[in-house]
Amino acid sequence: MNFNNKVCSFTGYRPKKLYEAFQSENGMTELKSKLRTEVSELINDDFTTFQCGMALGADMLFADVVAEFQRKYPRVRLVAVVPCLGQESSWNFKQQHKYKQLLDSASEVKVVSNAPYFDGCMQIRNRALVDTCDLLLAVYDGKRGGTMQTVEYAKKTHKKIRIIDPSCMMRITLYEQGRI
């Protein structure tokens, strides 16, 4: 591994859309396993920085996987890109505890807005994730919402995109520099 500090940003569904997409009871376990495989491949391709928006659902799974690799490979970095102050304030205790654990394990925490939640802060965070990456990894199967907007923005900015369809846990699309 050369560790050229390539940056991978992540976007994915919140819990409700993930649960709708899964075809089996153990979908979260399968997704976490698939994310491990993807992150391992990216590390082997000289990615060292993994950015995540720290939302509930796929983001938290991704951050957890990267934190595992970070302990194994000291050059691997988890960067938590937080949209606003108090992102977790409406979450339950267990979710807040996991969030804090992941923030504590992150190599860096970037707070996009030093204000409490406001309309548009998530979109600003998503654009920051895309603008600062070499590749966007997305858990996405076409449903409308923030993940779709992030993938579309990455296409417009000609970013490399890997998409994992959560219903089949396969990488189904590789989008690279304006070509599918």
Side-chain angles (χ1 to χ4, degrees):
M1 285 181 266
N2 294 326
F3 293 111
N4 291 322
N5 198 31
K6 292 182 189 175
V7 177
C8 170
S9 287
F10 179 83
T11 187
Y13 290 143
R14 304 282 172 82
K16 184 178 183 216
K17 284 186 183 171
L18 279 178
Y19 298 138
E20 290 171 1
F22 291 140
Q23 301 292 316
S24 66
E25 293 279 324
N26 59 351
M28 294 294 265
T29 303
E30 289 178 43
L31 178 57
K32 195 167 185 179
S33 176
K34 179 62 178 166
L35 289 171
R36 274 190 196 99
T37 300
E38 291 293 328
V39 170
S40 179
E41 287 179 14
L42 290 168
I43 290 169
N44 287 330
D45 193 25
D46 297 329
F47 281 82
T48 58
T49 301
F50 295 86
Q51 302 185 128
C52 178
M54 302 301 293
L56 291 174
D59 279 24
M60 298 285 273
L61 284 177
F62 178 78
D64 202 31
V65 165
V66 174
E68 291 172 14
F69 279 98
Q70 188 173 244
R71 289 187 290 275
K72 189 174 178 181
Y73 301 108
R75 295 280 315 259
V76 170
R77 300 176 65 240
L78 170 62
V79 177
V81 182
V82 178
C84 59
L85 297 177
Q87 172 181 2
E88 78 290 359
S89 61
S90 66
W91 301 352
N92 69 40
F93 176 80
K94 185 177 175 183
Q95 293 165 335
Q96 287 183 16
H97 180 71
K98 184 63 177 178
Y99 179 79
K100 181 165 178 6
Q101 279 184 321
L102 290 170
L103 286 182
D104 288 346
S105 70
S107 301
E108 183 179 356
V109 178
K110 294 180 181 178
V111 181
V112 176
S113 172
N114 285 321
Y117 176 85
F118 61 91
D119 279 346
C121 70
M122 301 297 181
Q123 291 82 2
I124 294 168
R125 184 257 337 258
N126 294 344
R127 284 180 173 244
L129 285 166
V130 171
D131 289 341
T132 57
C133 77
D134 297 296
L135 177 137
L136 179 70
L137 177 61
V139 172
Y140 174 65
D141 63 359
K143 289 183 178 68
R144 298 176 65 89
T147 301
M148 179 179 140
Q149 291 170 359
T150 305
V151 168
E152 291 302 315
Y153 179 68
K155 286 179 182 179
K156 286 180 191 172
T157 58
H158 306 289
K159 295 291 181 170
K160 293 179 183 178
I161 304 167
R162 284 188 184 180
I163 297 175
I164 301 167
D165 184 329
S167 65
C168 62
M169 298 302 164
M170 294 183 65
R171 185 185 326 151
I172 58 168
T173 303
L174 178 63
Y175 182 90
E176 186 172 346
Q177 299 175 356
R179 297 181 301 274
I180 292 182

CSV table of all heavy atoms in Angstrom, one decimal, residues 48-100:
chain,number,residue,atom,x,y,z
A,48,THR,N,-6.9,6.5,2.2
A,48,THR,CA,-6.6,6.5,3.6
A,48,THR,C,-7.6,7.4,4.4
A,48,THR,O,-7.7,7.2,5.6
A,48,THR,CB,-5.2,7.1,3.8
A,48,THR,OG1,-5.2,8.5,3.2
A,48,THR,CG2,-4.1,6.3,3.2
A,49,THR,N,-8.3,8.3,3.8
A,49,THR,CA,-9.2,9.1,4.5
A,49,THR,C,-10.7,8.8,4.1
A,49,THR,O,-11.0,8.7,2.9
A,49,THR,CB,-9.0,10.6,4.2
A,49,THR,OG1,-7.6,10.9,4.6
A,49,THR,CG2,-9.9,11.5,4.9
A,50,PHE,N,-11.5,8.5,5.1
A,50,PHE,CA,-12.9,8.1,4.9
A,50,PHE,C,-13.8,9.1,5.6
A,50,PHE,O,-13.7,9.2,6.8
A,50,PHE,CB,-13.1,6.7,5.4
A,50,PHE,CG,-12.3,5.7,4.6
A,50,PHE,CD1,-11.0,5.4,4.9
A,50,PHE,CD2,-12.9,5.1,3.5
A,50,PHE,CE1,-10.3,4.5,4.2
A,50,PHE,CE2,-12.2,4.1,2.7
A,50,PHE,CZ,-10.9,3.9,3.1
A,51,GLN,N,-14.6,9.9,4.9
A,51,GLN,CA,-15.4,10.9,5.4
A,51,GLN,C,-16.9,10.4,5.5
A,51,GLN,O,-17.4,9.8,4.6
A,51,GLN,CB,-15.4,12.2,4.6
A,51,GLN,CG,-14.0,12.7,4.4
A,51,GLN,CD,-14.0,14.0,3.7
A,51,GLN,OE1,-13.5,15.0,4.2
A,51,GLN,NE2,-14.6,14.1,2.5
A,52,CYS,N,-17.5,10.8,6.6
A,52,CYS,CA,-18.9,10.4,6.8
A,52,CYS,C,-19.7,11.5,7.5
A,52,CYS,O,-19.2,12.2,8.3
A,52,CYS,CB,-18.8,9.1,7.7
A,52,CYS,SG,-20.4,8.5,8.2
A,53,GLY,N,-21.0,11.6,7.1
A,53,GLY,CA,-21.9,12.6,7.6
A,53,GLY,C,-22.5,12.3,9.0
A,53,GLY,O,-23.2,13.1,9.5
A,54,MET,N,-22.2,11.1,9.5
A,54,MET,CA,-22.6,10.8,10.9
A,54,MET,C,-24.1,10.7,11.1
A,54,MET,O,-24.5,10.9,12.3
A,54,MET,CB,-21.9,11.7,11.9
A,54,MET,CG,-20.4,11.6,11.8
A,54,MET,SD,-19.7,10.0,12.0
A,54,MET,CE,-20.0,9.7,13.7
A,55,ALA,N,-24.9,10.5,10.1
A,55,ALA,CA,-26.4,10.4,10.3
A,55,ALA,C,-26.7,9.0,10.8
A,55,ALA,O,-25.9,8.1,10.6
A,55,ALA,CB,-27.1,10.7,9.0
A,56,LEU,N,-27.9,8.8,11.3
A,56,LEU,CA,-28.3,7.5,11.7
A,56,LEU,C,-28.5,6.6,10.5
A,56,LEU,O,-28.7,7.1,9.4
A,56,LEU,CB,-29.7,7.6,12.4
A,56,LEU,CG,-29.7,8.2,13.8
A,56,LEU,CD1,-31.1,8.4,14.3
A,56,LEU,CD2,-28.8,7.5,14.8
A,57,GLY,N,-28.3,5.3,10.7
A,57,GLY,CA,-28.5,4.4,9.6
A,57,GLY,C,-27.2,4.0,8.9
A,57,GLY,O,-26.2,3.6,9.6
A,58,ALA,N,-27.1,4.0,7.6
A,58,ALA,CA,-25.9,3.6,6.9
A,58,ALA,C,-24.7,4.4,7.2
A,58,ALA,O,-23.6,3.8,7.3
A,58,ALA,CB,-26.2,3.7,5.4
A,59,ASP,N,-24.8,5.7,7.5
A,59,ASP,CA,-23.6,6.5,7.9
A,59,ASP,C,-22.9,5.9,9.1
A,59,ASP,O,-21.7,5.8,9.2
A,59,ASP,CB,-24.0,7.9,8.2
A,59,ASP,CG,-24.2,8.8,6.9
A,59,ASP,OD1,-24.4,8.2,5.8
A,59,ASP,OD2,-24.1,10.0,7.1
A,60,MET,N,-23.7,5.6,10.1
A,60,MET,CA,-23.2,5.1,11.4
A,60,MET,C,-22.5,3.7,11.2
A,60,MET,O,-21.5,3.5,11.8
A,60,MET,CB,-24.2,5.1,12.5
A,60,MET,CG,-24.8,6.4,12.8
A,60,MET,SD,-23.8,7.5,13.8
A,60,MET,CE,-24.2,6.9,15.4
A,61,LEU,N,-23.1,2.9,10.4
A,61,LEU,CA,-22.5,1.6,10.1
A,61,LEU,C,-21.2,1.8,9.4
A,61,LEU,O,-20.2,1.1,9.7
A,61,LEU,CB,-23.4,0.8,9.1
A,61,LEU,CG,-24.6,0.1,9.8
A,61,LEU,CD1,-25.4,-0.6,8.7
A,61,LEU,CD2,-24.2,-0.9,10.9
A,62,PHE,N,-21.1,2.7,8.4
A,62,PHE,CA,-19.9,3.0,7.7
A,62,PHE,C,-18.8,3.5,8.7
A,62,PHE,O,-17.7,3.0,8.6
A,62,PHE,CB,-20.1,4.0,6.6
A,62,PHE,CG,-18.9,4.4,5.8
A,62,PHE,CD1,-18.4,3.6,4.8
A,62,PHE,CD2,-18.3,5.6,6.1
A,62,PHE,CE1,-17.3,3.9,4.1
A,62,PHE,CE2,-17.2,6.0,5.3
A,62,PHE,CZ,-16.6,5.1,4.4
A,63,ALA,N,-19.2,4.5,9.5
A,63,ALA,CA,-18.2,5.0,10.5
A,63,ALA,C,-17.7,3.9,11.4
A,63,ALA,O,-16.5,3.9,11.7
A,63,ALA,CB,-18.9,6.2,11.2
A,64,ASP,N,-18.5,3.0,11.8
A,64,ASP,CA,-18.1,1.9,12.7
A,64,ASP,C,-17.1,1.0,12.0
A,64,ASP,O,-16.1,0.6,12.6
A,64,ASP,CB,-19.4,1.2,13.1
A,64,ASP,CG,-19.1,0.4,14.4
A,64,ASP,OD1,-18.3,0.8,15.2
A,64,ASP,OD2,-19.8,-0.7,14.5
A,65,VAL,N,-17.4,0.7,10.7
A,65,VAL,CA,-16.5,-0.1,9.9
A,65,VAL,C,-15.1,0.6,9.8
A,65,VAL,O,-14.0,0.0,10.0
A,65,VAL,CB,-17.1,-0.5,8.5
A,65,VAL,CG1,-16.0,-1.0,7.6
A,65,VAL,CG2,-18.2,-1.4,8.7
A,66,VAL,N,-15.1,1.9,9.4
A,66,VAL,CA,-13.9,2.6,9.2
A,66,VAL,C,-13.1,2.7,10.5
A,66,VAL,O,-11.9,2.5,10.6
A,66,VAL,CB,-14.1,4.0,8.6
A,66,VAL,CG1,-12.8,4.8,8.6
A,66,VAL,CG2,-14.7,3.9,7.2
A,67,ALA,N,-13.8,2.9,11.7
A,67,ALA,CA,-13.1,2.9,13.0
A,67,ALA,C,-12.4,1.6,13.2
A,67,ALA,O,-11.3,1.5,13.8
A,67,ALA,CB,-14.2,3.2,14.1
A,68,GLU,N,-13.0,0.4,12.8
A,68,GLU,CA,-12.3,-0.9,12.9
A,68,GLU,C,-11.0,-0.9,12.2
A,68,GLU,O,-10.0,-1.3,12.7
A,68,GLU,CB,-13.3,-2.0,12.4
A,68,GLU,CG,-14.5,-2.3,13.2
A,68,GLU,CD,-15.4,-3.3,12.6
A,68,GLU,OE1,-15.0,-3.9,11.6
A,68,GLU,OE2,-16.6,-3.4,13.0
A,69,PHE,N,-11.1,-0.4,10.9
A,69,PHE,CA,-9.9,-0.4,10.1
A,69,PHE,C,-8.9,0.6,10.6
A,69,PHE,O,-7.6,0.3,10.5
A,69,PHE,CB,-10.2,-0.1,8.6
A,69,PHE,CG,-10.8,-1.3,7.9
A,69,PHE,CD1,-12.1,-1.5,7.7
A,69,PHE,CD2,-9.9,-2.2,7.3
A,69,PHE,CE1,-12.6,-2.6,7.0
A,69,PHE,CE2,-10.4,-3.3,6.6
A,69,PHE,CZ,-11.7,-3.5,6.5
A,70,GLN,N,-9.3,1.6,11.2
A,70,GLN,CA,-8.4,2.7,11.7
A,70,GLN,C,-7.6,2.1,12.8
A,70,GLN,O,-6.4,2.4,13.0
A,70,GLN,CB,-9.3,3.8,12.2
A,70,GLN,CG,-8.5,5.1,12.6
A,70,GLN,CD,-9.5,6.2,13.0
A,70,GLN,OE1,-9.5,7.2,12.3
A,70,GLN,NE2,-10.3,6.0,14.0
A,71,ARG,N,-8.1,1.2,13.6
A,71,ARG,CA,-7.4,0.5,14.7
A,71,ARG,C,-6.3,-0.4,14.1
A,71,ARG,O,-5.2,-0.6,14.7
A,71,ARG,CB,-8.3,-0.2,15.6
A,71,ARG,CG,-9.1,0.8,16.5
A,71,ARG,CD,-9.9,0.0,17.6
A,71,ARG,NE,-11.0,-0.8,17.1
A,71,ARG,CZ,-12.2,-0.3,16.8
A,71,ARG,NH1,-12.5,1.0,17.0
A,71,ARG,NH2,-13.2,-1.1,16.3
A,72,LYS,N,-6.6,-1.0,13.0
A,72,LYS,CA,-5.7,-2.0,12.3
A,72,LYS,C,-4.6,-1.3,11.5
A,72,LYS,O,-3.5,-1.8,11.5
A,72,LYS,CB,-6.6,-2.9,11.4
A,72,LYS,CG,-5.9,-4.1,10.9
A,72,LYS,CD,-6.9,-5.0,10.1
A,72,LYS,CE,-6.2,-6.1,9.5
A,72,LYS,NZ,-7.1,-7.0,8.7
A,73,TYR,N,-5.0,-0.2,10.8
A,73,TYR,CA,-4.1,0.5,10.0
A,73,TYR,C,-4.0,2.0,10.5
A,73,TYR,O,-4.9,2.8,10.2
A,73,TYR,CB,-4.5,0.5,8.5
A,73,TYR,CG,-4.7,-0.8,7.9
A,73,TYR,CD1,-6.0,-1.3,7.7
A,73,TYR,CD2,-3.6,-1.6,7.6
A,73,TYR,CE1,-6.1,-2.6,7.1
A,73,TYR,CE2,-3.7,-2.9,7.0
A,73,TYR,CZ,-5.0,-3.3,6.8
A,73,TYR,OH,-5.2,-4.6,6.2
A,74,PRO,N,-2.9,2.3,11.2
A,74,PRO,CA,-2.8,3.7,11.7
A,74,PRO,C,-2.9,4.8,10.7
A,74,PRO,O,-3.3,5.9,11.1
A,74,PRO,CB,-1.5,3.7,12.4
A,74,PRO,CG,-1.1,2.3,12.6
A,74,PRO,CD,-1.8,1.5,11.5
A,75,ARG,N,-2.6,4.6,9.5
A,75,ARG,CA,-2.7,5.7,8.5
A,75,ARG,C,-4.2,5.9,8.0
A,75,ARG,O,-4.5,6.9,7.4
A,75,ARG,CB,-1.8,5.4,7.3
A,75,ARG,CG,-0.4,5.4,7.5
A,75,ARG,CD,0.3,6.7,7.6
A,75,ARG,NE,0.0,7.7,6.6
A,75,ARG,CZ,0.7,7.9,5.5
A,75,ARG,NH1,1.8,7.3,5.3
A,75,ARG,NH2,0.3,8.8,4.7
A,76,VAL,N,-5.1,5.0,8.3
A,76,VAL,CA,-6.5,5.2,7.9
A,76,VAL,C,-7.1,6.2,8.9
A,76,VAL,O,-6.9,6.1,10.1
A,76,VAL,CB,-7.2,3.8,7.9
A,76,VAL,CG1,-8.7,4.0,7.8
A,76,VAL,CG2,-6.7,2.9,6.8
A,77,ARG,N,-7.9,7.1,8.3
A,77,ARG,CA,-8.5,8.2,9.1
A,77,ARG,C,-10.0,8.2,8.9
A,77,ARG,O,-10.4,8.2,7.7
A,77,ARG,CB,-7.9,9.5,8.6
A,77,ARG,CG,-6.4,9.6,8.8
A,77,ARG,CD,-5.9,11.0,8.3
A,77,ARG,NE,-6.4,12.1,9.1
A,77,ARG,CZ,-7.1,13.1,8.6
A,77,ARG,NH1,-7.4,13.1,7.3
A,77,ARG,NH2,-7.6,14.0,9.4
A,78,LEU,N,-10.7,8.3,9.9
A,78,LEU,CA,-12.2,8.5,9.9
A,78,LEU,C,-12.3,10.0,10.2
A,78,LEU,O,-11.9,10.5,11.2
A,78,LEU,CB,-12.9,7.7,11.0
A,78,LEU,CG,-14.4,8.1,11.2
A,78,LEU,CD1,-15.2,7.8,9.9
A,78,LEU,CD2,-14.9,7.3,12.3
A,79,VAL,N,-13.0,10.7,9.2
A,79,VAL,CA,-13.3,12.1,9.4
A,79,VAL,C,-14.8,12.2,9.5
A,79,VAL,O,-15.6,11.9,8.6
A,79,VAL,CB,-12.8,12.9,8.2
A,79,VAL,CG1,-13.2,14.4,8.4
A,79,VAL,CG2,-11.3,12.8,8.1
A,80,ALA,N,-15.3,12.7,10.6
A,80,ALA,CA,-16.7,12.9,10.9
A,80,ALA,C,-17.1,14.3,10.4
A,80,ALA,O,-16.5,15.3,10.9
A,80,ALA,CB,-17.0,12.8,12.4
A,81,VAL,N,-17.9,14.4,9.4
A,81,VAL,CA,-18.4,15.7,8.8
A,81,VAL,C,-19.8,15.9,9.3
A,81,VAL,O,-20.7,15.4,8.8
A,81,VAL,CB,-18.3,15.7,7.3
A,81,VAL,CG1,-18.7,17.0,6.7
A,81,VAL,CG2,-16.9,15.3,6.8
A,82,VAL,N,-19.9,16.7,10.4
A,82,VAL,CA,-21.1,17.0,11.1
A,82,VAL,C,-21.8,18.2,10.5
A,82,VAL,O,-21.1,19.3,10.4
A,82,VAL,CB,-20.8,17.2,12.6
A,82,VAL,CG1,-22.0,17.5,13.4
A,82,VAL,CG2,-20.1,15.9,13.2
A,83,PRO,N,-23.1,18.1,10.2
A,83,PRO,CA,-23.8,19.2,9.6
A,83,PRO,C,-24.0,20.5,10.4
A,83,PRO,O,-24.0,21.6,9.9
A,83,PRO,CB,-25.1,18.6,9.1
A,83,PRO,CG,-25.3,17.5,10.0
A,83,PRO,CD,-24.0,17.0,10.4
A,84,CYS,N,-24.2,20.2,11.7
A,84,CYS,CA,-24.6,21.4,12.6
A,84,CYS,C,-24.3,21.0,14.1
A,84,CYS,O,-24.1,19.8,14.4
A,84,CYS,CB,-26.1,21.7,12.4
A,84,CYS,SG,-27.2,20.3,12.8
A,85,LEU,N,-24.4,21.9,14.9
A,85,LEU,CA,-24.3,21.6,16.4
A,85,LEU,C,-25.5,20.9,16.8
A,85,LEU,O,-26.6,21.2,16.5
A,85,LEU,CB,-24.1,22.9,17.2
A,85,LEU,CG,-22.8,23.7,16.9
A,85,LEU,CD1,-22.8,25.0,17.7
A,85,LEU,CD2,-21.6,22.9,17.1
A,86,GLY,N,-25.3,19.9,17.7
A,86,GLY,CA,-26.4,19.1,18.2
A,86,GLY,C,-27.1,18.2,17.2
A,86,GLY,O,-28.3,17.9,17.4
A,87,GLN,N,-26.5,17.8,16.2
A,87,GLN,CA,-27.1,16.9,15.2
A,87,GLN,C,-27.8,15.7,15.9
A,87,GLN,O,-28.9,15.3,15.5
A,87,GLN,CB,-26.0,16.3,14.3
A,87,GLN,CG,-26.5,15.2,13.3
A,87,GLN,CD,-25.5,14.6,12.4
A,87,GLN,OE1,-24.3,15.0,12.5
A,87,GLN,NE2,-25.9,13.7,11.6
A,88,GLU,N,-27.3,15.2,17.0
A,88,GLU,CA,-27.8,14.0,17.7
A,88,GLU,C,-28.8,14.4,18.8
A,88,GLU,O,-29.3,13.4,19.4
A,88,GLU,CB,-26.6,13.3,18.3
A,88,GLU,CG,-26.1,13.8,19.6
A,88,GLU,CD,-25.3,15.2,19.5
A,88,GLU,OE1,-25.1,15.7,18.4
A,88,GLU,OE2,-24.9,15.6,20.5
A,89,SER,N,-29.2,15.6,19.0
A,89,SER,CA,-29.9,16.0,20.1
A,89,SER,C,-31.3,15.4,20.2
A,89,SER,O,-31.8,15.2,21.3
A,89,SER,CB,-30.1,17.5,20.2
A,89,SER,OG,-30.7,18.0,19.1
A,90,SER,N,-31.9,15.0,19.1
A,90,SER,CA,-33.3,14.4,19.1
A,90,SER,C,-33.2,12.9,19.1
A,90,SER,O,-34.3,12.2,19.1
A,90,SER,CB,-34.1,14.9,18.0
A,90,SER,OG,-33.6,14.5,16.8
A,91,TRP,N,-32.0,12.3,19.1
A,91,TRP,CA,-31.9,10.8,19.0
A,91,TRP,C,-32.0,10.2,20.4
A,91,TRP,O,-31.9,10.9,21.4
A,91,TRP,CB,-30.5,10.5,18.5
A,91,TRP,CG,-30.2,11.0,17.1
A,91,TRP,CD1,-31.1,11.6,16.3
A,91,TRP,CD2,-29.0,10.9,16.4
A,91,TRP,NE1,-30.4,12.0,15.1
A,91,TRP,CE2,-29.1,11.5,15.2
A,91,TRP,CE3,-27.7,10.4,16.8
A,91,TRP,CZ2,-28.1,11.6,14.2
A,91,TRP,CZ3,-26.7,10.5,15.8
A,91,TRP,CH2,-26.9,11.1,14.6
A,92,ASN,N,-32.3,8.9,20.5
A,92,ASN,CA,-32.5,8.3,21.8
A,92,ASN,C,-31.1,8.1,22.4
A,92,ASN,O,-30.0,8.3,21.8
A,92,ASN,CB,-33.2,7.0,21.7
A,92,ASN,CG,-32.5,5.9,20.9
A,92,ASN,OD1,-31.3,5.7,21.0
A,92,ASN,ND2,-33.2,5.1,20.1
A,93,PHE,N,-31.0,7.7,23.7
A,93,PHE,CA,-29.8,7.6,24.4
A,93,PHE,C,-28.8,6.6,23.8
A,93,PHE,O,-27.6,6.9,23.6
A,93,PHE,CB,-30.1,7.1,25.9
A,93,PHE,CG,-28.8,6.9,26.7
A,93,PHE,CD1,-28.1,8.0,27.2
A,93,PHE,CD2,-28.3,5.6,26.8
A,93,PHE,CE1,-27.0,7.8,27.9
A,93,PHE,CE2,-27.1,5.4,27.5
A,93,PHE,CZ,-26.4,6.5,28.1
A,94,LYS,N,-29.2,5.5,23.3
A,94,LYS,CA,-28.4,4.5,22.7
A,94,LYS,C,-27.7,5.1,21.4
A,94,LYS,O,-26.5,4.9,21.2
A,94,LYS,CB,-29.1,3.2,22.4
A,94,LYS,CG,-28.3,2.1,21.9
A,94,LYS,CD,-29.1,0.8,21.6
A,94,LYS,CE,-28.3,-0.3,21.0
A,94,LYS,NZ,-29.1,-1.5,20.7
A,95,GLN,N,-28.5,5.7,20.6
A,95,GLN,CA,-28.0,6.3,19.4
A,95,GLN,C,-27.0,7.4,19.7
A,95,GLN,O,-26.0,7.5,19.1
A,95,GLN,CB,-29.2,6.9,18.6
A,95,GLN,CG,-30.1,5.8,18.0
A,95,GLN,CD,-31.4,6.4,17.5
A,95,GLN,OE1,-31.9,7.4,17.9
A,95,GLN,NE2,-32.0,5.6,16.6
A,96,GLN,N,-27.3,8.3,20.7
A,96,GLN,CA,-26.4,9.3,21.1
A,96,GLN,C,-25.1,8.8,21.6
A,96,GLN,O,-24.0,9.3,21.3
A,96,GLN,CB,-27.0,10.2,22.1
A,96,GLN,CG,-28.1,11.1,21.6
A,96,GLN,CD,-28.7,12.1,22.6
A,96,GLN,OE1,-28.1,12.3,23.7
A,96,GLN,NE2,-29.8,12.7,22.3
A,97,HIS,N,-25.2,7.7,22.4
A,97,HIS,CA,-24.0,7.1,22.9
A,97,HIS,C,-23.1,6.5,21.8
A,97,HIS,O,-21.8,6.8,21.8
A,97,HIS,CB,-24.4,5.9,23.9
A,97,HIS,CG,-23.2,5.2,24.5
A,97,HIS,ND1,-22.4,5.8,25.5
A,97,HIS,CD2,-22.7,4.0,24.3
A,97,HIS,CE1,-21.4,5.0,25.8
A,97,HIS,NE2,-21.6,3.9,25.1
A,98,LYS,N,-23.7,5.9,20.8
A,98,LYS,CA,-22.9,5.3,19.7
A,98,LYS,C,-22.3,6.5,18.9
A,98,LYS,O,-21.1,6.4,18.5
A,98,LYS,CB,-23.8,4.5,18.8
A,98,LYS,CG,-23.0,3.8,17.7
A,98,LYS,CD,-22.0,2.8,18.2
A,98,LYS,CE,-21.3,2.1,17.1
A,98,LYS,NZ,-20.2,1.2,17.6
A,99,TYR,N,-23.0,7.5,18.7
A,99,TYR,CA,-22.6,8.7,18.0
A,99,TYR,C,-21.3,9.3,18.7
A,99,TYR,O,-20.3,9.6,18.1
A,99,TYR,CB,-23.7,9.7,17.9
A,99,TYR,CG,-23.4,11.0,17.3
A,99,TYR,CD1,-23.4,11.2,15.9
A,99,TYR,CD2,-23.1,12.2,18.0
A,99,TYR,CE1,-23.2,12.4,15.2
A,99,TYR,CE2,-22.9,13.4,17.4
A,99,TYR,CZ,-22.9,13.5,16.0
A,99,TYR,OH,-22.7,14.7,15.4
A,100,LYS,N,-21.4,9.5,20.0
A,100,LYS,CA,-20.3,10.0,20.8
A,100,LYS,C,-19.1,9.1,20.7
A,100,LYS,O,-17.9,9.6,20.5
A,100,LYS,CB,-20.7,10.2,22.2
A,100,LYS,CG,-19.5,10.8,23.0
A,100,LYS,CD,-19.9,11.4,24.3
A,100,LYS,CE,-18.8,11.9,25.2
A,100,LYS,NZ,-17.5,12.0,24.7
